[in-house]
Amino acid sequence: MSIFKDQSCPVCKRLFEEGDDIVYCPDCGTPHHRECYNLIGHCVNRGLHPSGYSYYDEHREEIRNTEANRKLRERFHFSEEEDTDAKAGPAGEQNDGARGFTPFGAPDLSAFTRTPYDSDTYTVNGESLGDIASTVRTNTARFISVFKAQEQSGKKLGWNWGAFIFGMYYFFFRKMYKQAITLFCINISLSSLLTFLSMKLAPLTYNAISGLATMNPMSNQNELLNRLNEIQGMADFQKFSMIVFAVFALKLIVALGCALLADYSYKMTVTSFIKSVNEQLENGAEFNASAGGDPLEASLDRDGIKRLYLAKKGGTTILAPIAAYIVLDLISMLL
């Protein structure tokens, strides 16, 4: 018997059934059919969030008597008194250390605050593997293995295919912003160098190639082929080719450097960030993980809040590489 027995979707008003695709508001725990939630685009009880509304508390008596809930209470050592206590809410922590269940699927913060490496006493640059895993968040097994190997061997060089193929975009993706901005400037400099040398040393070929940008290769292929043959016969075409090859060689060297140093650079970025957070905590700083009023975050202890903070500030981002691509494209149009 489902713990959703006799509960209905607040949008379509239909009772939840076994097999329904159900999603839950991360703020108050209200369950919705996924298609209903997508239809309105937000929690139906959004207006009640500022007051601290909790779906679990509102429907406690209705949901706690189902057979499934009784089994869950027994599994997690809930007594009837504990279950009626407000402290046994969606992320309650019991006195005996048993973790409270989340009946309506509010986010399980243990994914950020606990890692498989918490019991491992090995450290990288003096920082625990648990903190590193919380900060890295994605592909942690690979990075921790690489970090440990570098720590043991003292070597800085490795190989990272992502960094080799995507270059600065990979560094932006992994939030290595200092290195990414440096690579961004190098990329612009090499493009500017190509333009400058081509205009100065091979102006005929450069201007002819620039003119090809205005042609439609699909509608006038014969003319395009004739223009390409003319360009290859120009007096300064060989100089232009040498310039292009030289700049390409420089870009290849940069790509190789990215691939060889990416993992070490990421290790230093991650451990330096963790060290900075630990120093701030030692100096009395407080990281308020529940600034948005999330009761789940508010229930965390100091170490849990630190792990959640590391996870929020670490991990990856897709917005930074997209922004870098747009900016670089705009600059390239101006060169």
Side-chain angles (χ1 to χ4, degrees):
M1 185 180 298
S2 170
I3 63 174
F4 310 116
K5 182 178 184 291
D6 299 327
Q7 302 298 305
S8 61
C9 174
V11 180
C12 67
K13 308 304 182 183
R14 289 189 294 108
L15 290 176
F16 292 121
E17 299 178 357
E18 294 290 347
D20 282 356
D21 187 6
I22 302 172
V23 296
Y24 316 94
C25 173
D27 292 311
C28 67
T30 300
H32 309 68
H33 288 116
R34 184 182 297 276
E35 59 181 358
C36 295
Y37 185 91
N38 291 337
L39 179 65
I40 62 175
H42 57 78
C43 173
V44 74
N45 292 317
R46 180 174 60 176
L48 300 176
H49 292 171
S51 65
Y53 173 79
S54 167
Y55 185 91
Y56 177 83
D57 291 338
E58 183 79 10
H59 299 268
R60 182 186 299 274
E61 293 302 321
E62 301 172 37
I63 66 176
R64 75 188 186 100
N65 293 319
T66 66
E67 179 182 350
N69 254 355
R70 284 198 297 272
K71 291 180 178 179
L72 283 171
R73 287 201 303 274
E74 292 172 1
R75 177 182 175 187
F76 290 99
H77 311 294
F78 273 76
S79 67
E80 286 300 319
E81 292 181 358
E82 286 173 327
D83 187 55
T84 56
D85 192 333
K87 291 187 295 183
E93 194 76 23
Q94 303 308 308
N95 293 332
D96 63 358
R99 184 173 177 79
F101 64 92
T102 307
F104 287 95
D108 184 5
L109 299 183
S110 64
F112 305 108
T113 60
R114 294 199 297 270
T115 76
Y117 303 94
D118 289 346
S119 59
D120 195 326
T121 58
Y122 194 89
T123 61
V124 174
N125 279 358
E127 305 305 328
S128 71
L129 297 185
D131 284 352
I132 291 173
S134 291
T135 307
V136 172
R137 287 186 59 181
T138 59
N139 205 9
T140 54
R142 186 259 177 191
F143 282 110
I144 285 183
S145 176
V146 170
F147 293 169
K148 290 175 70 174
Q150 289 181 341
E151 189 80 356
Q152 293 168 355
S153 66
K155 295 180 179 179
K156 298 181 179 180
L157 300 181
W159 187 260
N160 187 308
W161 280 107
F164 178 73
I165 296 171
F166 298 105
M168 67 174 180
Y169 300 113
Y170 177 84
F171 286 80
F172 275 115
F173 177 70
R174 279 289 168 186
K175 297 185 178 180
M176 293 183 276
Y177 294 123
K178 291 181 180 179
Q179 300 90 328
I181 292 173
T182 299
L183 291 169
F184 183 85
C185 294
I186 291 174
N187 200 310
I188 293 176
S189 298
L190 291 176
S191 297
S192 300
L193 179 64
L194 175 61
T195 301
F196 175 77
L197 292 178
S198 297
M199 293 176 65
K200 288 293 183 180
L201 302 179
L204 296 177
T205 301
Y206 175 78
N207 291 330
I209 290 178
S210 298
L212 293 179
T214 62
M215 296 182 60
N216 187 341
M218 301 304 296
S219 62
N220 203 340
Q221 295 185 12
N222 291 332
E223 183 180 351
L224 177 62
L225 292 174
N226 292 333
R227 292 286 298 275
L228 290 174
N229 290 331
E230 291 177 6
I231 290 173
Q232 292 180 12
M234 289 181 174
D236 57 6
F237 177 76
Q238 191 171 11
K239 286 185 179 180
F240 179 81
S241 300
M242 292 178 63
I243 293 170
V244 172
F245 178 79
V247 173
F248 173 79
L250 291 174
K251 289 187 175 183
L252 180 59
I253 291 173
V254 172
L256 290 172
C258 289
L260 292 171
L261 293 171
D263 289 335
Y264 177 77
S265 183
Y266 190 45
K267 181 186 79 169
M268 298 306 297
T269 298
V270 168
T271 55
S272 295
F273 170 64
I274 297 172
K275 194 179 298 294
S276 173
V277 170
N278 287 332
E279 289 176 353
Q280 292 180 63
L281 289 173
E282 290 174 2
N283 292 330
E286 293 290 340
F287 298 104
N288 185 12
S290 58
D294 191 331
L296 290 175
E297 296 180 10
S299 69
L300 297 175
D301 58 15
R302 179 187 172 99
D303 289 337
I305 291 176
K306 184 190 82 168
R307 285 286 181 85
L308 189 60
Y309 181 82
L310 293 175
K312 286 184 174 181
K313 296 297 182 180
T316 59
T317 175
I318 194 63
L319 296 179
I322 291 176
Y325 176 82
I326 294 173
V327 172
L328 184 63
D329 188 56
L330 291 175
I331 293 176
S332 299
M333 292 173 61
L334 298 174
L335 292 177

